[in-house]
Amino acid sequence: MANLRESWWIRDVEVPTRVVLAPMAGVSVQAFRRQGRRFGAGLVCSEMVSCAGIEHRNERTLDYLRVASDEHPLAIQIFGADPGVMAEAARMVEAAGADVVDMNFGCPVRKVTKTGAGAHLMEEPELACRVVEAVASAVTVPVTVKMRRGVENGARTCLSLGPRLVEAGAAALTLHPRSAKQMYTGVADHELTAELVSLVGVPVIASGDVTSRTKALAVLEQTGAAAVMVARAAQGNPWGLREILEGGGFRPTREEVAAELIVFIRETVRELGEQRATGFLKKFYGWYLGHGRFPKPFKQELVQLKTTDEVVTRLYAAAPGAAEIVARLEAELPPPEEDVVLDRLPISIYGGG
Ligand SMILES: Cc1cc2nc3c(=O)[nH]c(=O)nc-3n(C[C@H](O)[C@H](O)[C@H](O)COP(=O)(O)O)c2cc1C
């Protein structure tokens, strides 16, 4: 049986566990990434940042990426289709402290694919290889690629493209074995992951439908992948990461849930500002308070509150014991003025992978 607590390497970067927290546009803010590290993810990823920001400063964006000292090892994901622009973005991302530069070749959202980026690159193998070569030679940190199986349903493009990307300089590959057309329907076909593992000499990270410890161990066993990546199962649920790593059926108390959510809210307000954070955070209330942790009407109540301060007050009223946990968690956070801000590479508003 695979040991999820074992470390592994992406070239010269040591990843302390075999569980990777996925990049998710509109989700993987700094608070999400550092919480993921605290709960045992060996590697965390930023949501995708747009190389278009280098050339068009006026693009409407969600926000800029902030990197904190307690996130490492951290992969910053970039997307774009121009080798020169991607190389420049990679240099900036490395300067901001990325331990790994990840390239998004999997995003199925039309706004991204119509620019030639994301999953579209899987249909342009020559260009895809040139992008990887340009990025790999621009930085000293390892570069990686996250792919889908291909664009069309049933595609096996990842198996022909993967080895070529490795030859072009990719130090690891992540595979989400659904087609771009499938979006998130159907199931991730990890037989393809196993085939990819057998074809390349670099670590492969298996992404898709890893929701439990049993599933994580089964995917590692079936595929020989170096690690599993967890996306949706970690939304509002850092305990899911711990459960995957350790098992034991641990269930957080209401105080713990409220405390994690309060810290998450405060950090996100600091990152995005009150106005953006208010809307952004609403989906997290359902994610945190679900799983039978709080009664349903409580979530409805929080979603309707106008400011995040009111949400925090309401959470303390529902779980007074959370205050002690919040104080402990906040005391451990490094000072925000030490953050590095990547303000020339905006976070994509498009989402998806
Ligand atoms: C809301 C959301 C946003 C996502 N954004 C990205 C992204 O920016 N980059 C990326 O490579 N994948 C992205 N993905 C894909 C995930 O990283 C992952 O590959 C996929 O969700 C399958 O894993 P899961 O079954 O654990 O959710 C996103 C997925 C979701 C649900």
Side-chain angles (χ1 to χ4, degrees):
M1 195 167 74
N3 178 2
L4 290 162
R5 283 246 170 239
E6 207 169 49
S7 71
W8 57 288
W9 296 80
I10 299 178
R11 212 188 62 199
D12 47 353
V13 173
E14 184 171 13
V15 182
T17 71
R18 295 191 181 274
V19 175
V20 176
L21 186 62
M24 280 186 280
V27 177
S28 302
V29 288
Q30 192 191 63
F32 185 78
R33 303 190 301 266
R34 57 182 7 169
Q35 184 190 54
R37 290 282 297 124
R38 251 193 306 119
F39 278 82
L43 177 70
V44 297
C45 306
S46 76
E47 54 192 304
M48 52 187 197
V49 293
S50 169
C51 296
I54 291 178
E55 293 185 323
H56 313 289
R57 299 289 304 268
N58 58 354
E59 190 191 7
R60 192 173 88 79
T61 56
L62 243 190
D63 204 0
Y64 302 116
L65 194 71
R66 297 181 74 94
V67 178
S69 57
D70 59 347
E71 295 184 46
H72 301 282
L74 166 73
I76 297 185
Q77 187 182 69
I78 57 176
F79 78 96
D82 181 294
V85 178
M86 284 285 271
E88 194 185 337
R91 275 186 222 107
M92 290 165 60
V93 153
E94 179 182 45
D99 302 290
V100 170
V101 178
D102 187 48
M103 285 165 270
N104 182 318
F105 288 9
C107 182
V109 175
R110 195 162 144 69
K111 279 210 162 151
V112 169
T113 56
K114 79 174 186 203
T115 67
H120 180 80
L121 279 169
M122 298 198 69
E123 304 238 291
E124 301 262 4
E126 305 296 331
L127 179 59
C129 290
R130 279 198 289 122
V131 168
V132 173
E133 264 163 26
V135 169
S137 51
V139 294
T140 58
V141 295
V143 306
T144 58
V145 177
K146 184 161 178 288
M147 302 183 280
R148 286 210 172 212
R149 64 182 296 162
V151 171
E152 300 297 331
N153 290 342
R156 296 167 63 82
T157 321
C158 57
L159 301 181
S160 54
L161 185 61
R164 293 183 63 182
L165 299 178
V166 171
E167 220 170 285
L173 299 172
T174 302
L175 179 63
H176 175 202
R178 282 186 172 88
S179 70
K181 283 249 162 79
Q182 265 183 294
M183 303 293 279
Y184 295 94
T185 62
V187 289
D189 179 0
H190 284 298
E191 277 181 25
L192 274 178
T193 315
E195 283 189 61
L196 183 65
V197 169
S198 72
L199 293 172
V200 295
V202 297
V204 172
I205 302 168
S207 171
D209 304 342
V210 177
T211 51
S212 65
R213 179 171 170 83
T214 310
K215 182 76 194 211
L217 291 169
V219 167
L220 289 184
E221 167 96 30
Q222 177 196 358
T223 63
V228 289
M229 178 177 270
V230 182
R232 288 167 294 175
Q235 291 171 334
N237 189 27
W239 302 277
L241 295 172
R242 186 178 288 162
E243 176 61 27
I244 287 173
L245 275 158
E246 290 172 8
F250 176 83
R251 289 180 66 81
T253 63
R254 281 195 179 172
E255 281 68 28
E256 283 168 310
V257 173
E260 286 294 341
L261 179 52
I262 288 166
V263 173
F264 193 90
I265 291 169
R266 287 189 175 158
E267 281 188 66
T268 303
V269 169
R270 189 166 53 71
E271 188 178 3
L272 303 183
E274 169 71 20
Q275 208 190 350
R276 278 175 174 167
T278 308
F280 175 89
L281 285 164
K282 285 192 197 283
K283 57 185 179 283
F284 284 89
Y285 303 152
W287 289 339
Y288 271 92
L289 306 177
H291 310 269
R293 293 169 186 159
F294 280 86
K296 275 209 178 113
F298 187 52
K299 178 199 106 181
Q300 295 305 0
E301 196 187 321
L302 292 195
V303 171
Q304 273 151 32
L305 296 173
K306 297 234 157 27
T307 65
T308 55
D309 274 348
E310 287 171 84
V311 175
V312 169
T313 305
R314 192 62 195 86
L315 282 166
Y316 276 133
E324 207 177 302
I325 308 174
V326 169
R328 181 169 47 76
L329 292 173
E330 292 193 331
E332 286 165 6
L333 292 173
E337 21 335 327
E338 286 174 10
D339 285 4
V340 180
V341 183
L342 255 179
D343 62 359
R344 284 186 62 214
L345 288 179
I347 289 171
S348 161
I349 56 169
Y350 308 131

